[in-house]
Amino acid sequence: MPATAQDATEDTPPVIHLIGVPVQDGTHEKGCLMGPDALRTAGIRETLEGLGFSCIDHGNLQPHSKGEQGAPTIAPVGKANHFDRISSWTRTLADISYQLARTGFPVFMGGDHSLAMGSVAGVARHAAEQGRELFVLWLDAHTDFNTPSTTESGNMHGMSVAAFCGLPELAGLYEPSLEHPINPANVHMMGIRSIDNKERELLRQHHVKINDMRVLDELGVIRPLMELIDEVKSKNAMLHVSLDVDFLDPDIAPAVGTTVPGGATLREAHLIMELLHESRLVTSLDLVELNPFLDHRGKTADILRDLTASLFGRTIFDRPTRRPGPRHGSI
């Protein structure tokens, strides 16, 4: 029997659950459905097992058919491309995310960023059952807080945060209804450098915490990240990390269809992951928007593998941790 999240201790790390989510209905660019297999080819499982973790690869998820997904989707007013299909993915993934979070540390390998609508919803349900809040660290060039009435493109990977925060225009994605929406003030974004005009006002209204690239340029990554870590710790909360390839500068990580120049450096990204590991607060992870069709000899897949390894404790040289030991179900 695998160790459960509740069983995990300082001496028994949680089981890592890898699950592929080959969704690309949320974006206009074809190719990111190959992302999970590119991460496998890059050796993500072997790398994590080499760090001493028990790692189970559950293969690639497939969405429920219309007859299996419960109540019919209710299309919103406005633009929401492939709403029915995204709803099928979201409902399926919310269920499996909840199950995997109960029995270890889930790593969701995408696929476009619409997968976070389901992954975060499921992890939030598990957190609520533990009597804990869930915080989300959103590492992305985009804030993804659009709704069908504010979006310029209609692409639903740009609505993920609005969906799992419970904005009513996107309620039809979930069945049953989203019982544990994330408090928008618990969403901390880093690396932002592209926000739609109408989206900007929504972010202000809902008090989402945004550290755009100017903040990172002026302060570095340590100060805003430590503010998040201290807040999560003070509330005995859980922390979900959602890493979009376009958080990184496209010169470093080219395999993404939504490139925005001026992103984070590789060293900044590794530092974030190393500090998160030392915090022992992270309980789940998204790896999204990897498009192997746009990659250069697997370069970006290798980077995501290595960043994941840093999150799980790989270092160049051992050093004392900055934070207390691990919490149950965290790394």
Side-chain angles (χ1 to χ4, degrees), residues 105-118:
F105 188 111
V107 176
F108 305 97
M109 304 183 296
D112 72 63
H113 219 159
S114 66
L115 76 80
M117 297 174 176

Side-chain angles (χ1 to χ4, degrees), residues 95-128:
D95 288 340
I96 191 68
S97 171
Y98 166 69
Q99 295 296 336
L100 296 180
R102 294 178 67 212
T103 59
F105 188 111
V107 176
F108 305 97
M109 304 183 296
D112 72 63
H113 219 159
S114 66
L115 76 80
M117 297 174 176
S119 64
V120 174
V123 174
R125 177 184 170 192
H126 169 62

Side-chain angles (χ1 to χ4, degrees), residues 135 227-237 281 327:
F135 280 68
E227 288 175 356
L228 166 62
I229 287 171
D230 289 342
E231 186 176 2
V232 174
K233 188 198 301 184
S234 71
K235 295 186 176 181
N236 188 32
L281 294 171
R327 305 202 175 190

